[in-house]
C-alpha cells in the first residue's frame, strides 16, 4: 500500500506539473488534458519496446505533433488565466521565466517553445523520479540493514539542518548513502534501452556502421558488467557506486554520460530523497 500511494503515476504527474506550471495546473480541468497529451508524447514505452519508436518514425510523428498541439493549448489557457487574475508577478515563477526567456519571439512561436521546454523538463524529471522512487523503496523494504542505515543518515541530517532540511539543497547533498542506494537500485532494476542513430559512416569494435543505422544498448546488460574487485552483479551493494566512480565514470550507466546524460538526473535524485523522507513518516 505504501508503494501504491507514494509511487502512483498520477501523484508524480501532479508533482511535476505543479513544479513547472504552478499549483493552479493541478486542477482537473488542466491536469486531465495535460496528462493525456503528455502520455502520448512520453517515450517510456519506447525504452521497453523499440517497435513503438519505429511507428513514430513511419507515421512521421503525426500523433506526437497532435499531442504537442493539445499540450500547447492547455499551457496557453493556463497562462492566459494567470494573466487575467493579476499582473505577471502573480503567475508561477517557472512558467513566467520561460515566457520571459522567449519574449523576443512572436506569440505563437513563444508559446510553442515554452510548451516544448515544459514537456522536456517534466519528461526528464518524471520518468526517472517514478522509477528511482519505486525501485528504491521496494528494494529497501527487502534489505533492512540498508534501510536502517538510511534512517540513521536521515536523522543525522535532520539534527544538523533542522526538521525542514528537505527544502535545503545543501542538506539533501549530505544524503550520500541514500544517493548510492538509489543508484544501485536503478542498476539492478533498470531495463531501459538507449537508442542512437549513426550520423555518418564509421567503424566500431571492428564493424563498419553505415549512416542511418540505429544502435540499441541494453542497460540491463551494461550495468551487469562489474570489475574484478566488485561484488557479483546480482548482489545489491550501495558501496558499488563509490567503487565504480573510482574505477571508471562509465562503469554504471544509469543516467547516461556526457552530452547525452539525462538532464533530469539531479532533479530526480533530489525529489527521490525528499519523497523518501516523506515516506519515512509512514
Amino acid at each position: 500500500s505504501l508503494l501504491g500511494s507514494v509511487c502512483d503515476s498520477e501523484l508524480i504527474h501532479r508533482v511535476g506539473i505543479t513544479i513547472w506550471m504552478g499549483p493552479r495546473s493541478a486542477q482537473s480541468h488542466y491536469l486531465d488534458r495535460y496528462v493525456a497529451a503528455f502520455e502520448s508524447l512520453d517515450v517510456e514505452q519506447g525504452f521497453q519496446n523499440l517497435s513503438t519508436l519505429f511507428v513514430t518514425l513511419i507515421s512521421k510523428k503525426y500523433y506526437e505533433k497532435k499531442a504537442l498541439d493539445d499540450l500547447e493549448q492547455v499551457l496557453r489557457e493556463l497562462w492566459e488565466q494567470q494573466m487575467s487574475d493579476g499582473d505577471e508577478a502573480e503567475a508561477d515563477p517557472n512558467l513566467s521565466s520561460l515566457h520571459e526567456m522567449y519574449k523576443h519571439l512572436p506569440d505563437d512561436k513563444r508559446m510553442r517553445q515554452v510548451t516544448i521546454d515544459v514537456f522536456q523538463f517534466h519528461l526528464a524529471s518524471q520518468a526517472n523520479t517514478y522509477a528511482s522512487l519505486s525501485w528504491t523503496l521496494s528494494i529497501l523494504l527487502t534489505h533492512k540493514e540498508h534501510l536502517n542505515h538510511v534512517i540513521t543518515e536521515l536523522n543525522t541530517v535532520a539534527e544538523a539542518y533542522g526538521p525542514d532540511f528537505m527544502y535545503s539543497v545543501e542538506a539533501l547533498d549530505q544524503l550520500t548513502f541514500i544517493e548510492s542506494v538509489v543508484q544501485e537500485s536503478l542498476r539492478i532494476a533498470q531495463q531501459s534501452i538507449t537508442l542512437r542513430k549513426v550520423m555518418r559512416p564509421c567503424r566500431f569494435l571492428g564493424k563498419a556502421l553505415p549512416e542511418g543505422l540505429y544502435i540499441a544498448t541494453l542497460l540491463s546488460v551494461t550495468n551487469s558488467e562489474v570489475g574484478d574487485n566488485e561484488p557479483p552483479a546480482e548482489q545489491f551493494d550501495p558501496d558499488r557506486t563509490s567503487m565504480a566512480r573510482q574505477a571508471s565514470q562509465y562503469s554504471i550507466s544509469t543516467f547516461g554520460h556526457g552530452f547525452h546524460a539525462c538532464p533530469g538526473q539531479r532533479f530526480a535524485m533530489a525529489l527521490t530523497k525528499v519523497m523518501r523522507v516523506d515516506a519515512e513518516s509512514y
Side-chain angles (χ1 to χ4, degrees), residues 106-140:
D107 181 67
D108 57 336
K109 292 184 178 180
R110 173 171 55 86
M111 198 67 242
R112 190 66 162 193
Q113 192 58 55
V114 168
T115 302
I116 291 173
D117 280 8
V118 168
F119 169 73
Q120 290 179 333
F121 292 150
H122 189 184
L123 176 67
S125 57
Q126 185 258 8
N128 281 319
T129 301
Y130 185 73
S132 61
L133 181 63
S134 301
W135 287 327
T136 298
L137 285 176
S138 62
I139 289 178
L140 278 177

Side-chain angles (χ1 to χ4, degrees), residues 22-42:
R24 185 195 302 271
S25 62
Q27 298 174 5
S28 60
H29 173 67
Y30 299 112
L31 179 66
D32 295 345
R33 295 156 60 207
Y34 178 94
V35 170
F38 181 91
E39 294 291 350
S40 295
L41 288 165
D42 192 359

Side-chain angles (χ1 to χ4, degrees), residues 48-231:
Q48 305 290 340
N49 184 356
L50 284 178
S51 65
T52 60
L53 294 179
F54 290 112
V55 169
T56 297
L57 294 176
I58 293 172
S59 67
K60 297 182 179 181
K61 304 179 182 179
Y62 171 82
Y63 299 104
E64 288 76 14
K65 291 176 181 178
K66 182 180 183 304
L68 193 60
D69 288 341
D70 295 340
L71 198 62
E72 180 179 339
Q73 181 60 32
V74 174
L75 283 169
R76 183 181 296 277
E77 292 177 15
L78 181 62
W79 179 250
E80 291 175 350
Q81 183 63 50
Q82 288 184 344
M83 293 301 95
S84 68
D85 290 345
D87 60 25
E88 190 168 335
E90 296 297 321
D92 177 72
N94 284 326
L95 200 55
S96 296
S97 65
L98 288 177
H99 278 273
E100 176 66 21
M101 184 185 304
Y102 300 114
K103 65 180 181 181
H104 62 285
L105 297 176
D107 181 67
D108 57 336
K109 292 184 178 180
R110 173 171 55 86
M111 198 67 242
R112 190 66 162 193
Q113 192 58 55
V114 168
T115 302
I116 291 173
D117 280 8
V118 168
F119 169 73
Q120 290 179 333
F121 292 150
H122 189 184
L123 176 67
S125 57
Q126 185 258 8
N128 281 319
T129 301
Y130 185 73
S132 61
L133 181 63
S134 301
W135 287 327
T136 298
L137 285 176
S138 62
I139 289 178
L140 278 177
L141 290 175
T142 59
H143 293 79
K144 295 300 178 65
E145 70 280 11
H146 297 308
L147 177 60
N148 291 333
H149 191 162
V150 165
I151 293 174
T152 299
E153 184 175 67
L154 288 172
N155 291 335
T156 300
V157 174
E159 291 177 3
Y161 290 87
D164 294 330
F165 72 92
M166 70 180 70
Y167 302 112
S168 166
V169 175
E170 179 183 349
L172 291 176
D173 286 343
Q174 305 306 309
L175 299 174
T176 55
F177 182 73
I178 293 180
E179 184 165 333
S180 294
V181 168
V182 173
Q183 292 276 15
E184 179 69 349
S185 298
L186 289 170
R187 183 194 67 81
I188 286 182
Q190 198 169 35
Q191 300 292 319
S192 296
I193 298 172
T194 301
L195 190 66
R196 294 289 180 261
K197 182 179 181 179
V198 178
M199 303 305 295
R200 60 180 180 270
C202 62
R203 296 189 67 83
F204 181 70
L205 298 179
K207 295 184 179 295
L209 305 180
E211 179 181 348
L213 181 71
Y214 283 90
I215 300 175
T217 61
L218 306 177
L219 292 186
S220 58
V221 175
T222 58
N223 284 350
S224 64
E225 298 174 355
V226 299
D228 296 335
N229 298 321
E230 293 185 43

